[in-house]
Amino acid sequence: MTAFAAVWLLLQAAKSVGLQALPSKVLLFLLPLWIIFQSVLSIGGFYENTDTLPPRLLFLHSAGLGFESHVSALFRPTFAEKLPLELLTLVHVVRIPVEFVLYWLF
């Protein structure tokens, strides 16, 4: 549920910049595609095998970080700097319940 809230807030931020801009179109196309791809991998049990080197969980974080760094580097002046700070702050506030649950689990 927190993932959907974060995606919704991020799409609201992209909408405030303008949906006709190229970075917004890229985000609107790649974000759902990325979520579906990760869901299929996860349901298929890809991340359950922890005996491989490097760990497969590393794939989850490194690919997302690579995507984020490329988008911010390519579209920084036209997209990233125009995003409203209030919505970006709310995207990060969504992490608070996740951190509580992780603390409770471990």
Side-chain angles (χ1 to χ4, degrees):
M1 188 151 94
T2 57
F4 290 121
V7 168
W8 181 77
L9 287 168
L10 191 58
L11 292 178
Q12 291 297 323
K15 190 168 83 171
S16 70
V17 172
L19 295 177
Q20 299 304 320
L22 179 64
S24 294
K25 289 180 181 180
V26 168
L27 184 68
L28 287 174
F29 175 73
L30 288 181
L31 193 61
L33 187 68
W34 180 254
I35 291 173
I36 291 169
F37 175 68
Q38 289 299 324
S39 299
V40 168
L41 284 179
S42 199
I43 290 170
F46 180 78
Y47 295 116
E48 290 179 5
N49 186 2
T50 58
D51 297 333
T52 61
L53 284 175
R56 291 183 173 178
L57 190 60
L58 184 65
F59 172 72
L60 176 70
H61 298 295
S62 63
L65 184 61
F67 170 73
E68 178 185 347
S69 64
H70 279 87
V71 168
S72 65
L74 294 174
F75 300 125
R76 183 173 180 202
T78 60
F79 183 68
E81 291 178 355
K82 294 181 183 177
L83 292 172
L85 188 58
E86 295 84 17
L87 285 174
L88 292 178
T89 303
L90 286 175
V91 168
H92 291 286
V93 167
V94 168
R95 293 179 46 205
I96 293 172
V98 172
E99 296 298 330
F100 280 129
V101 169
L102 290 175
Y103 179 73
W104 175 69
L105 286 173
F106 296 104

